[in-house]
Amino acid sequence: MVQKISIKKIKPNPNNPRYIRDGKFKKLVKSIKEFPEMLEKRPIIVDEKMIVLGGNMRLKACESAGIKEVWIDTVEGWTEKQKKEFIIKDNVGFGDWDFDLLANEWNTELLNDWGLNLPEFDKNPDYSILDDIDLGGELDEMTGNVKKALQIPFDADDYQRAFDLVKEFRENKIYVGKLLIEKLENEKSRFKTN
Amino acid sequence: MKKVDLKQIEHNVKVGDICGTIEPNVTEDSIFYFEGKPIGFYIADLSKNFKKAAQLADIADKELRSKRVPKSVMKRSSGFGDGNEDKEVLQYSTIIGSVPPKPHMRRPYATISSVHNVKTAQTFIKAMLLLCLESEKIIKEITPDLYKEQKKIISENVSKKWRFGNLFTSSISNYNIPAPFHRDAGNLVGCANVIIAKRKNSTGGHTTVPDYGATVNSADNSMLVYPAWRNVHGVTPIIPTFEDGYRNTLVFYPLKAFKGLE
């Protein structure tokens, strides 16, 4: 039976598995304040002990909005299993939104205000801010001043020998790169003269 | 800004534990104090008072999501799923700035991320470096002591050539990557990280610190300055609310691996 009673008589469900975030809660409070007539058409559902089965968030929001009396509908004779099933099914949305239609036919600001989550779209940032700032070669300096590596493949028979040699030179703090360049330069001038 | 006195609390969280969904309890501009000393802060929306930083974050975010920036890619199910590969959620990251020696990878020397050599990534790198410098200005303005201390630690330990900006060595951008509980043990002790969040059509991705029972809202355009070396922390799961949903963090951090390196 739908009736209007003191909000103090209603008990929030301690096992309610749903929660509401701050931003959405504020929107719900605003929504209730702006359109309280809806509360009569969507009463809070309670069991015989006045524990909420449907409308925990609305109850909290009504309290926050300063509402003293709210509309309830009481279910009678339901098993615990039925009550649990109701708590979930009451909050499951099986339908999907047609966002194209909403974007074209509805005021999206109002939809957002009413608590409907609309997809956000990518915006193009203003790149001109980058043109106004000169880093004075700082980026080039970062890469121009560090060691870089080349991958040199070796035949299987030579690999371990090369590995051990490079390791030994490194351990003795000898710059292998320079030695390699010098050796290759020598080889280059030899085959050029030939 | 709200003053938040962090207090150590008991918990059972260990390094490696998976971080589940936790709702944030730090949602407004706050400075974090521990034992009377400021150790970090949170700005919920950079675009309100730090427009330049917000603009640069927009550019870096857009560039990172383009094909112009190379990245290490992973994939996971979106939860929208019907096994359709197109609906898988992409996860990727890109490191720029200095990368420490990795002898186990046969690279016994420090270097600069190879991303710096990619021509198409130059806009991203410029935006990130400028964002880093803007972040430093914000740190200096909000927590001057923290700025001074971090500048001193970096100056004393890291040669100029390995610095990214003035307070950091490196940067990583994490796209849709949550994290199990961990401590950034590779960071310079006494220094803070900067974590700037960009997101669209997603929930989660909040940084949670069990030691203080604090979970910081990873809001779009938010900036968190936090000493990640100090405590175990995790990042809550990122859940898209629409198919293109994502959450990206632009992070600047100081590594101790460059200590004393020429």
Side-chain angles (χ1 to χ4, degrees):
Chain A
M1 186 183 65
V2 178
Q3 56 178 316
K4 200 175 193 184
I5 65 160
S6 164
I7 199 165
K8 286 180 185 162
K9 290 184 179 169
I10 308 169
K11 298 166 197 148
N13 195 321
N15 298 318
N16 177 37
R18 286 175 63 80
Y19 58 85
I20 190 164
R21 293 187 181 93
D22 254 15
K24 284 238 167 177
F25 181 69
K26 281 177 192 158
K27 280 182 183 175
L28 181 58
V29 174
K30 186 168 174 265
S31 164
I32 284 170
K33 280 181 180 170
E34 284 174 359
F35 194 4
E37 296 82 0
M38 254 188 87
L39 294 171
E40 186 180 352
K41 302 299 173 195
R42 296 289 303 272
I44 291 169
I45 310 298
V46 295
D47 67 7
E48 301 92 333
K49 294 175 188 162
M50 286 290 162
I51 294 172
V52 179
L53 301 179
N56 276 287
M57 311 294 154
R58 262 176 290 149
L59 175 65
K60 204 173 146 192
C62 285
E63 282 169 346
S64 181
I67 292 171
K68 306 281 181 232
E69 288 185 317
V70 288
W71 290 92
I72 60 158
D73 195 350
T74 313
V75 299
E76 283 165 22
W78 282 12
T79 64
E80 284 307 308
K81 186 173 171 280
Q82 282 176 312
K83 288 178 189 176
K84 281 181 94 169
E85 192 173 335
F86 178 84
I87 288 170
I88 300 300
K89 285 187 169 174
D90 186 43
N91 286 295
V92 173
F94 288 100
D96 281 320
W97 294 102
D98 181 338
F99 287 112
D100 285 339
L101 195 139
L102 285 171
N104 291 322
E105 306 287 330
W106 295 69
N107 178 330
T108 49
E109 263 178 47
L110 274 181
L111 291 174
N112 186 45
D113 216 26
W114 295 344
L116 180 63
N117 258 346
L118 293 169
E120 299 165 78
F121 296 98
D122 239 359
K123 290 171 200 143
N124 279 324
D126 178 8
Y127 280 72
S128 65
I129 188 174
L130 296 184
D131 303 334
D132 303 339
I133 304 162
D134 180 12
L135 284 168
E138 191 169 337
L139 285 175
D140 294 336
E141 266 175 43
M142 284 179 82
T143 48
N145 202 16
V146 296
K147 285 192 174 68
K148 291 175 187 173
L150 283 177
Q151 280 202 346
I152 303 175
F154 289 93
D155 290 340
D157 292 345
D158 295 332
Y159 174 76
Q160 195 55 47
R161 205 171 131 226
F163 182 83
D164 292 341
L165 278 167
V166 171
K167 191 172 172 229
E168 194 179 335
F169 275 77
R170 271 184 186 156
E171 281 169 359
N172 286 296
K173 307 240 183 271
I174 297 167
Y175 175 30
V176 181
K178 189 76 181 166
L179 290 177
L180 187 65
I181 290 170
E182 283 169 4
K183 179 69 181 158
L184 292 176
E185 292 283 5
N186 281 340
E187 285 296 315
K188 190 177 155 189
S189 53
R190 249 181 44 196
F191 73 63
K192 273 203 167 166
T193 47
N194 290 340
Chain B
M1 269 181 136
K2 191 176 162 183
K3 187 180 168 185
V4 177
D5 277 313
L6 299 170
K7 298 232 161 58
Q8 192 95 19
I9 57 166
E10 294 279 313
H11 62 82
N12 298 318
V13 175
K14 296 184 298 294
V15 168
D17 285 356
I18 297 298
C19 183
T21 297
I22 307 169
E23 282 305 299
N25 53 13
V26 178
T27 55
E28 54 188 307
D29 293 2
S30 312
I31 303 186
F32 308 121
Y33 288 82
F34 186 70
E35 293 174 347
K37 201 178 151 195
I39 61 161
F41 59 87
Y42 172 74
I43 298 170
D45 184 0
L46 282 173
S47 67
K48 281 186 182 161
N49 296 312
F50 304 99
K51 280 202 167 57
K52 196 166 162 188
Q55 263 178 289
L56 290 164
D58 276 348
I59 297 170
D61 175 53
K62 183 87 176 178
E63 286 298 304
L64 181 81
R65 291 183 292 119
S66 76
K67 288 181 179 165
R68 294 181 284 278
V69 178
K71 53 249 317 170
S72 309
V73 181
M74 295 166 271
K75 275 181 183 176
R76 69 172 163 89
S77 160
S78 68
F80 287 108
D82 43 12
N84 183 346
E85 272 190 25
D86 293 341
K87 290 184 177 174
E88 282 181 331
V89 171
L90 269 181
Q91 290 184 310
Y92 52 74
S93 60
T94 294
I95 289 176
I96 57 171
S98 303
V99 286
K102 284 190 178 163
H104 61 287
M105 309 273 284
R106 302 212 165 154
R107 185 171 51 74
Y109 53 89
T111 189
I112 297 294
S113 161
S114 59
V115 176
H116 287 254
N117 298 323
V118 178
K119 265 193 178 170
T120 53
Q122 295 311 304
T123 305
F124 171 69
I125 296 167
K126 184 173 182 183
M128 286 296 282
L129 182 55
L130 290 171
L131 180 60
C132 178
L133 297 171
E134 280 304 304
S135 302
E136 291 176 359
K137 281 186 203 164
I138 297 170
I139 297 173
K140 194 174 180 182
E141 183 182 323
I142 294 176
T143 47
D145 289 346
L146 199 152
Y147 175 87
K148 228 185 277 171
E149 197 178 329
Q150 184 146 338
K151 194 158 186 209
K152 185 171 178 275
I153 293 171
I154 293 278
S155 310
E156 287 173 356
N157 290 288
V158 180
S159 137
K160 193 170 184 299
K161 106 181 191 193
W162 301 118
R163 291 180 209 159
F164 193 81
N166 303 296
L167 302 183
F168 308 95
T169 61
S170 321
S171 167
I172 187 165
S173 300
N174 291 315
Y175 181 92
N176 280 344
I177 301 185
F181 285 100
H182 66 285
R183 196 169 66 82
D184 293 15
N187 282 14
L188 272 169
V189 169
C191 294
N193 286 8
V194 168
I195 303 153
I196 293 169
K198 290 299 303 171
R199 70 184 315 151
K200 188 164 66 74
N201 299 327
S202 68
T203 62
H206 312 299
T207 301
T208 184
V209 188
D211 277 358
Y212 308 131
T215 301
V216 184
N217 190 20
S218 182
D220 186 37
N221 276 331
S222 65
M223 174 177 172
L224 170 63
V225 173
Y226 168 69
W229 60 273
R230 190 187 275 266
N231 319 84
V232 169
H233 55 279
V235 177
T236 66
I238 299 156
I239 300 152
T241 50
F242 292 93
E243 279 177 29
D244 62 347
Y246 75 92
R247 174 270 203 182
N248 177 21
T249 47
L250 312 166
V251 184
F252 305 110
Y253 55 98
L255 288 177
K256 63 181 170 196
F258 300 97
K259 230 174 163 175
L261 282 187
E262 285 302 311

